[in-house]
Amino acid sequence: MLLIPCPWCGPRDEAEFHYGGQAHVAYPADPAALTDEEWARYLFFRDNPMGPFSERWNHTSGCRRWFTVTRDTTTNAITPETSR
Amino acid sequence: MTRRDREVLSFTFDGRPYEGRQGDTLAAALLANGVRRVATSVTLGRPRGIFGAWTEDPTAVVQIDRPFPEPMVQATTIPLHDGLAASSLAGRGRLSPDPDPARYDATHAHCDVLVVGAGPAGLTAALNAARAGARVILADDRPEVGGSLPDTGEPVEGRPGVEWARAAAGSYVALPDTRLLTRTSVVGYYDHNYLVAVERRGERAVTRERVWRIRAGRVVLATGAHERPIAFAGNDLPGVMLASAARAYVNRYGVVPGRRAAVFTTGGGSGDAAHDAARDLAAAGVEIAEIVDARQGGLVTGVRGDGEVRAVLIGRPGGPAREVEADLLLVSGGWNPVVHLFAQAGGELRYDDRIAAFVPGRPPEGGQSVQVIGAARGVFTTAGCVAEGLAATSPPDLPSTVTRSSRESRVPVDASAPGDAPAREDAGPSGEAGAQPLWLVPADDYTTHFVDLQRDVTVADLQGATSAGLRSVEHVKRYTTAGTAHDQGKTSGTLTSAVIAHLLGVDVGALGTTTFRAPYVPVSFATLAGRDRGALHDPVRVTAMHDRHVERNAVFENVGQWKRPRYYPLPGEDMEAAVLRECRAVREAAGVLDASTLGKIDVRGPDAAELLDRLYTNMISTLKVGAIRYGVMCRADGMVFDDGTVIRLAPDHFLVTTTTGNAAAVLDWMEEWLQTEWPDLRARCTSVTEQWATVALAGPGSRAVLAALAPALAVDAESFPFMTWRDTEVAGIEARVCRISFSGELAYEINVSWWYGQALWDAVLATGTVTPYGTEAMHVLRAEKGYPIIGQDTDGTVTPADLGMDWIVSKKKPDFVGKRSHARADTARPDRRRLVGLLPEDPDVLLPEGGQVISTGHLPPPPVPMLGHVTSSYRSAALGRTFALALVAGGGNRLGDRLYVPVNDTLIPVTVAHHVLYDPESTRRDG
Amino acid sequence: MSDRLWNSPEPDGAYDVVIVGGGGHGIATAYYLAKNHGITNVAVLEKGWLAGGNMARNTTIIRSNYLWDESAGIYEHALKLWEGLEDELGYDLLFSQRGVLNLAHSLQDVRDGVRRVNANRLNGVDAEWLDPAQVKEVCPIVETSPDVRYPVLGATYQPRGGIAKHDYVAWGYARAASALGVHFVEHCEVTGLEVSGGRVRAVETTRGRIAAGRVALSAAGHSSVVAGMAGVRLPVQSHTLQALVSDLLEPVHPTVVMSNAVHVYVSQAHKGELVMGAGIDAANSYRRRGAFHIIERQMAAALELFPCFARAHVLRTWGGVVDVSPDASPIVGLTPVDGLYVNCGWGTGGFKATPGVGWCYAHTIATGEPHPLNAPFTLDRFTTGALVDEHGAAAVAH
């Protein structure tokens, strides 16, 4: 049960959140202009690092806001990214 | 209180009646009655006695028969109570077929400091932290505080140890924001200082066991140490016992575990624990036959006795042995700090040569805040433990979360108390660090030198593993099962590692240990399940009209957490008859469905239309206020995700409906895009599923029904056309009526405040002309019209085009979520599986949903090429036959083709039809 | 063969094939490279102890009743190999075909189950649909009352499914491969992949550089990390998956029961302990410790299905790192780098495929072309969209 720092509500138990995977993967500006391969990269390929990982969480059982933290996937050490 | 002053309790073991005393464990009571053989070993069938006195015991694992059967419980931890019945086991327990009548629950707790272990170190730490103003939880798995003090009777700060501990605990609980949890085992140490403890509240408590989920600012582990055995021939025979255990039985329980004892020690512990144990036993009247001290070259080479110890063999390996008569052999092979929780937290262990044991090394990373004190890190003197407890919780060591002003500390802070330095001078010459690493007594035959008494693992077994080439302690553990039993290697772990290291000729520290895993002590499934069982397993959601459905004998189906009426059987009706009747009512007269469970999301804002344009495949922004449009959403991969209606309430205000099961997911989806991709869009989404109760009124007779209920509403087709909505009063209730249809018939969905849902339902039925219908009839009716059910006719691999709904995919919009994926090679394939109708050639034959579709009239040997599968299949009153919907490869090009659905060994011939089988021209929707 | 299981020599400077990852898949692949293709100059590099990753951590369920033809092909090939494996390897694997039940708790579960049974039968995979009474006959301790929160409405049943002792499988393969000349190098972590001219040349390890004609990745949860060393990006995400065992009990559970809807899968091992899988942790992780609330939920669900487990005890919990692909199907085949092969994305269910994937992956490595059974499981499918979506059949359960 991670203790996740919601920028709006404060630290809360992991069970209150929904995980959103890698952060900073923008929806392509013009999907139609992409090749199939480029589109596949957007759809299916995400970083999977062993170490610090910038990731998204949604405080579904709280304020319902999305935010970003950096979490180390080997130690679970969390550093907030999103600021209020 | 002496033993004889305690209350007498009756119990049985293996069917024989015995008496014990209040405060006994089952093991203590058995020993008091002279019962020394309590189990049989699991693979070798050897007798097993009582080896330890608490959770470290590997041998006395018994079955509880009364008050309720529980398998595999350590007799050394079972609090004796009147009427307890237990029996011996041969390594495997028995589950009861009867339901467990006990209740379990869970609670959450937060604290600045969690101290685990209420021995001298832990008590001091907890009291000191509380005095400094911290919110403290002190947890200990024993019924009383003091740790090993009641076992040893050692004094603390000049007072008898037990008295000191009680006084310290009394001072502690008197302070504000302190909690003392006895009989509470901290079993797991998880990320971010989250720990799980199990409180054993007793057989008579309302809640038998309780899980504590504790988030601690800081954790102080004062978990003590376990004495460990020595591997020698026959060291499993009942009568062989840890010296510390024998001492505990004498001092804590007032039970004398034998008449004449020998002692085999390698030294170590506080003072010299084995010698102290011998002294205490002697004081209790046990004759001490001999103390065999390995530091002086003494060795116990074996024991003799049939079923229990009668004599101890003392001598040198290979040399002559002296036989010394004894019925008890106390063994002390050194002490293992209890590092389980520290290791679970992610801390690394290191091997400390001074005490020949693994001790806490590098602390864990990643948001854990943990400190280990006292015997748990190899400080074995009581004075040293008290000093560590003080040092650990003295400001400025306390966490910053402690902000309240410190209360005056009456306990002086010892500035010279040790910190985290690995090697210290407090290991006095009295023997604390003087353990000789004697692990096993050399012999020619190691087949009875046990390292794990519960799993029957011997030194010979370890030899077998290493001679098979295994070099890792994990491999050897798996090869032999050493350390995998109830005690989780508490006595066997370090010994096993040491013997393997000896066999391989490597350093114990380099070889390491196996992983310490939660739980620290076994925890029953029921305890962890808590109250999330039966009706509370998952919330049940019901609509405002639910009681009415129950009154009508509805048969319910679970749709997500909702209970929905599937059909309403009349007396004598089966499901088929009921559904045919309900369908006929809708097609020929009027039916009413409780549609309240549909997800409803209120979308508002100047950019609400733009948001919906981007999420739905079709154009929403062109929808006029007052109108309704059906819409489909895809995931980014182009597959259908959900469908529903969108109604426009104002230029900047929409209400969208979702499928029942997807309501939460669709809201999440909309919010995710809105917040993370398009924060510039000015729109907000609010779930209103449980604000609106919805009644679907369907059938050619529905207009008359509505007209009667809503006199202010012009209900004719021209005034109130298809796919529009009106606000009006229905049955005197403020309502929003939508002219939409999921059956192809003239139909209305009447939405009212949830509060009035039942009143509306009653009013509709009070007209006497409307038949309630359930989800099954709804499914038949929609299938006749070729309307797909998301999740039934789709499976996450289906595009809108696959559903024959190319028309709903906008060609005008530059983009919507999923659009790009529709242009990929595979999604553009012409032979994709498409939704079609299937008509069995025999109109009475009902295809099984999930049946596969093949092209050949015979079954070739497997693998048989499959064209698709039946997604929906029903008997249709309107069509007068059975029919099905199916996803079939190249479906649209197969209209009129004969295909086959294998059912067991029969091939059912079917004809492919268009998926809209009823009223394809939609002539009925205006009534 | 002797009692000796495998040899752990110092690594040579060069091998024809270097397999990165000494788990079940890597070991089996080495065995079939030697046995089927005569390629014996093979090293299996394992950063820890052999078969100490997911091979040592799974719940040992074996079945082949997957939905799609592609999956049925490779899993059924695996099951057929399982059926002869003890003889083939000359090693007791405690392989027990005690049957596998997949329970249905909703009408849609029933449709999906029947669909899978029908597809299985046409694919030559043994499968039956059981009603609740028949479920009770196969496994009398399952709660089949209609009065529980999510009643059992039926189940798919694969009689040939079952369990095997995971460690013994790894050791049996390793012993046989070792006898054929394969080197198993433990405590040898790959730290780099040397690629030049578009071709892999060598691996850098904590025990030095090892030249390699071909390099085959088989690193399960760590696949992204090792593939990344050659610049190959994989569409997988690593997560912690937990499991647990109970104390030893008299025989009570005769088969294997899985329930995706309530996240329970359980069998009783030969020694007597209940072996149960729990749900997957939500967030990406390379940790072998999972979150406790997952275990608590698991227990609640388990007792709904098996009320008689109430007083069984959780003895030990643990976690493994699984690599999950977008369609819950594996990726086995070629990479953009010549001579570099990938086998990953088995998510929560790689154990049962061990013989099948070893066989096919060895073929791929030996011939440079996918075996027909792993040909559908290319990296390329994520570009074309030709996914093999097994979420329904795989879910979290093994």
Side-chain angles (χ1 to χ4, degrees), chain C residues 246-270:
Chain C
S246 76
D247 30 22
L248 303 191
L249 302 167
E250 295 291 343
V252 59
H253 181 24
T255 181
V256 180
V257 171
M258 306 172 55
S259 168
N260 286 352
V262 294
H263 301 303
V264 171
Y265 38 112
V266 57
S267 65
Q268 186 172 17
H270 293 76

Side-chain angles (χ1 to χ4, degrees), chain B residues 695-712:
Chain B
V695 161
L697 181 61
S702 59
R703 179 172 285 131
V705 174
L706 182 63
L709 291 170

Side-chain angles (χ1 to χ4, degrees), chain B residues 542-561:
Chain B
V542 296
T543 69
M545 302 76 134
H546 185 74
D547 291 349
R548 295 293 184 260
H549 306 323
V550 173
E551 287 160 21
R552 281 188 184 268
N553 300 317
V555 173
F556 290 92
E557 92 171 283
N558 289 315
V559 183
Q561 292 172 327

Side-chain angles (χ1 to χ4, degrees), chain C residues 329-388:
Chain C
S329 284
I331 300 162
V332 187
L334 281 48
T335 71
V337 178
D338 284 345
L340 182 68
Y341 302 90
V342 66
N343 167 41
C344 69
W346 290 90
T348 61
F351 173 73
K352 69 178 80 70
T354 301
V357 67
W359 181 286
C360 296
Y361 196 33
H363 174 101
T364 307
I365 297 159
T367 65
E369 292 293 331
H371 186 281
L373 290 175
N374 67 295
F377 298 103
T378 60
L379 252 179
D380 183 52
R381 73 179 187 271
F382 298 99
T383 303
T384 65
L387 307 186
V388 187

Side-chain angles (χ1 to χ4, degrees), chain A residues 13 27 36 56 64 76, chain B residues 191 215 668 672 815 820:
Chain A
D13 278 354
Y27 184 68
D36 279 359
R56 307 181 312 153
R64 295 193 66 81
N76 274 340
Chain B
D191 287 328
R215 183 79 72 178
D668 289 350
E672 180 178 348
D815 193 29
R820 174 64 185 81

Side-chain angles (χ1 to χ4, degrees), chain B residues 756-911:
Chain B
Y756 297 107
Q758 194 179 81
L760 174 65
W761 179 263
D762 288 346
V764 170
L765 285 167
T767 63
T769 56
V770 184
T771 302
Y773 67 101
T775 52
E776 191 66 20
M778 174 188 83
H779 283 187
V780 178
L781 297 165
R782 63 87 204 176
E784 290 168 347
K785 280 290 289 175
Y787 299 146
I789 296 277
I790 305 305
Q792 175 172 345
D793 301 295
T794 70
D795 61 1
T797 70
V798 177
T799 66
D802 296 341
L803 292 174
M805 301 203 297
D806 310 69
W807 55 270
I808 206 157
V809 180
S810 168
K811 310 286 182 291
K812 291 188 211 129
K813 290 196 286 187
D815 193 29
F816 56 82
V817 173
K819 181 179 170 76
R820 174 64 185 81
S821 290
H822 293 156
R824 288 180 300 163
D826 194 73
T827 22
R829 239 180 338 112
D831 62 342
R832 284 181 66 82
R833 295 181 173 193
R834 302 284 178 128
L835 191 70
V836 294
L838 293 183
L839 297 173
E841 291 189 1
D842 178 342
D844 267 343
V845 168
L846 185 67
L847 296 174
E849 289 174 344
Q852 293 287 330
V853 181
I854 66 170
S855 62
T856 52
H858 65 282
L859 267 188
V864 182
M866 287 170 258
L867 297 174
H869 75 286
V870 176
T871 58
S872 300
S873 175
Y874 308 100
R875 258 176 228 289
S876 166
L879 302 173
R881 56 161 302 130
T882 59
F883 75 104
L885 297 177
L887 287 164
V888 173
N893 301 324
R894 294 184 188 268
L895 297 186
D897 287 3
R898 178 193 242 199
L899 299 174
Y900 300 86
V901 175
V903 175
N904 297 321
D905 295 326
T906 315
L907 296 189
I908 299 177
V910 298
T911 305

